[in-house]
């Protein structure tokens, strides 16, 4: 499969601050790739390098096999970019800003098709294009960037916290547009700290921590490294019945239900034992990206004085 984005041992420093510390990232053609990490992890710095807006201090970064620092002009015609904090020309209307961005992207081949796409997106995002840029809220400024990005076809979409300021209804519109362009063969790099957004949209995920890759893989790959929660109705049973269940951990009873955790790759192994016990009301809950995220950032998120030392994988 063709690689669209590739970074190897990517380093970016700002004075004494090391924003990227040997980042390895690979995004294949046609995939929606989640780029996860808290604010300050290095996500936006990476995207700025991929856009040719910042020069790497060390390592390598390529987009479509080209150096974005040297070939930014050509690459920008193939890329749509949405930042997390959009600034607009204060005296341009939203509609004028969308049209200008389209012209900068080089959309002039089929004006009728462009106008049709733009009007559809304006309606879907419930956006008023007649107001001046200075009057728009953060959410409406974000809509200008999103409409601009999706109104002109691109081969690669670089989306950096793209739903910042949007309400849940508009987030669903955004999700549909990402699914649409992905179905048409575009590649998407979605940078976010909204875990449910990434979980719903992405084929693969890279978790970045302190400028380095902490984990990467499909959601199934990452869940393989965590525990799944299993629960069922007690019906008067004692948790001691679970002594024969292989791999059960953290057994507890709460509100008439027994629950325990088990390594995700061993779930199928416990099902025969649960059937033998004739349990009822069985639920099996796979780990969410939130749990994966907390595993990689648990020490950073723990209260001061409770953090333990952990090895960071790169």
């Amino acid at each position: 499969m063709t690689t669209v984005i590739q970074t190897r041992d990517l380093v970016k420093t700002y004075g004494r601050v090391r924003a990227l510390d040997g980042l390895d990232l690979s995004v294949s053609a046609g995939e929606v790739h989640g780029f996860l990490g808290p604010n300050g992890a290095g996500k936006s710095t990476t995207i700025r390098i991929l856009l040719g807006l910042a020069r790497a201090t060390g390592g390598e970064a390529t987009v479509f096999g080209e150096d974005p620092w040297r070939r930014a002009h050509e690459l920008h015609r193939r890329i749509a970019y949405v930042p997390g904090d959009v600034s607009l020309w204060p005296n341009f209307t939203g509609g004028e800003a969308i049209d200008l961005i389209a012209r900068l992207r080089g959309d002039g081949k089929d004006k009728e098709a462009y106008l049709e796409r733009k009007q559809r997106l304006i309606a879907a995002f419930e956006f008023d294009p007649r107001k001046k840029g200075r009057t728009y809220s953060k959410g409406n400024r974000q809509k200008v960037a999103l409409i601009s990005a999706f109104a002109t076809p691109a081969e690669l979409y670089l989306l950096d916290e793209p739903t910042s300021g949007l309400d849940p209804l508009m987030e669903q519109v955004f999700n549909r547009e990402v699914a649409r362009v992905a179905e048409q063969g575009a590649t998407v790099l979605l940078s976010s700290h909204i875990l449910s957004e990434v979980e719903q949209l992405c084929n693969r995920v890279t978790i970045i921590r302190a400028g380095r890759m902490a984990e990467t893989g499909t959601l199934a790959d990452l869940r393989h490294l965590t525990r799944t929660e299993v629960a069922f109705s007690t019906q008067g049973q004692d948790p001691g019945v679970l002594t024969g269940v292989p791999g059960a951990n953290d057994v507890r009873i709460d509100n008439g239900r027994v629950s325990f955790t088990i390594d995700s790759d061993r779930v199928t192994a416990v099902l025969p034992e649960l059937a033998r016990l004739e349990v009822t009301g069985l639920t099996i809950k796979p780990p969410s990206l939130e749990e994966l995220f907390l595993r990689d950032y648990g020490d950073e998120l723990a209260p001061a004085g409770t953090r333990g030392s952990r090895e960071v994988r790169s």
Side-chain angles (χ1 to χ4, degrees):
M1 185 175 291
T2 304
T3 300
V4 173
I5 294 173
Q6 183 80 62
T7 75
R8 295 187 180 91
D9 200 25
L10 189 63
V11 175
K12 178 61 179 176
T13 59
Y14 296 96
R16 296 183 179 179
V17 177
R18 203 170 182 87
L20 295 176
D21 189 22
L23 176 66
D24 294 324
L25 174 67
S26 180
V27 180
S28 300
E31 74 174 353
V32 181
H33 194 108
F35 196 32
L36 270 174
N39 293 331
K43 305 187 303 296
S44 294
T45 299
T46 303
I47 289 178
R48 286 179 61 81
I49 291 173
L50 296 176
L51 287 166
L53 301 177
R55 190 172 191 173
T57 307
E60 177 186 358
T62 59
V63 179
F64 296 115
E66 302 284 354
D67 181 349
W69 180 254
R70 299 179 182 276
R71 303 297 296 273
H73 178 72
E74 295 92 335
L75 289 173
H76 283 190
R77 293 185 178 275
R78 306 172 68 180
I79 297 172
Y81 166 57
V82 177
D85 190 7
V86 177
S87 297
L88 298 177
W89 298 274
N91 292 321
F92 280 24
T93 66
E96 289 170 339
I98 292 168
D99 290 338
L100 176 57
I101 295 171
R103 289 197 295 272
L104 292 173
R105 287 268 311 283
D107 190 305
K109 299 177 182 178
D110 191 338
K111 187 173 182 180
E112 185 175 338
Y114 162 72
L115 291 174
E116 182 178 335
R117 289 191 299 268
K118 182 181 75 169
Q119 291 304 319
R120 179 184 65 79
L121 289 163
I122 286 173
F125 280 103
E126 299 179 2
F127 176 68
D128 185 350
R130 298 167 296 178
K131 295 181 179 179
K132 298 288 187 181
R134 63 175 177 269
T135 69
Y136 285 131
S137 65
K138 176 175 174 55
N140 278 316
R141 293 197 304 272
Q142 208 66 30
K143 290 179 183 181
V144 170
L146 289 168
I147 293 168
S148 301
F150 292 124
T152 303
E155 297 174 61
L156 171 63
Y157 291 81
L158 295 177
L159 309 177
D160 188 6
E161 309 283 359
T163 58
S164 177
L166 296 187
D167 63 45
L169 181 60
M170 294 300 101
E171 288 177 6
Q172 290 303 308
V173 176
F174 165 79
N175 291 350
R176 290 198 297 269
E177 290 304 312
V178 170
R180 178 183 64 82
V181 298
E183 187 176 341
Q184 294 174 351
T187 304
V188 180
L189 179 64
L190 173 60
S191 167
S192 181
H193 61 264
I194 302 175
L195 305 175
S196 59
E197 179 177 77
V198 173
E199 192 165 28
Q200 182 174 348
L201 292 171
C202 297
N203 312 114
R204 295 179 64 235
V205 172
T206 293
I207 298 176
I208 181 174
R209 173 178 180 171
R212 307 185 75 183
M213 183 189 72
E215 293 280 3
T216 190
T218 65
L219 296 181
D221 291 336
L222 297 184
R223 285 180 175 137
H224 176 80
L225 303 174
T226 65
R227 287 179 175 174
T228 291
E229 182 174 294
V230 178
F232 56 87
S233 175
T234 62
Q235 287 192 333
Q237 295 188 49
D238 184 90
V241 299
L242 291 175
T243 56
V245 176
N249 299 281
D250 307 318
V251 179
R252 60 191 184 278
I253 293 182
D254 186 30
N255 294 325
R257 289 184 67 78
V258 173
S259 64
F260 63 93
T261 61
I262 191 165
D263 291 345
S264 294
D265 60 336
R266 301 196 62 186
V267 171
T268 55
V270 307
L271 294 179
E273 180 63 20
L274 295 177
R276 185 186 68 79
L277 294 172
E278 299 182 347
V279 303
T280 60
L282 177 66
T283 61
I284 298 176
K285 180 184 175 185
S288 68
L289 272 178
E290 177 118 20
E291 292 165 303
L292 299 177
F293 188 76
L294 289 173
R295 189 194 69 219
D296 280 289
Y297 291 94
D299 290 345
E300 296 176 11
L301 298 175
T306 65
R307 298 173 184 170
S309 59
R310 297 173 71 250
E311 178 183 355
V312 179
R313 288 166 288 178
S314 59

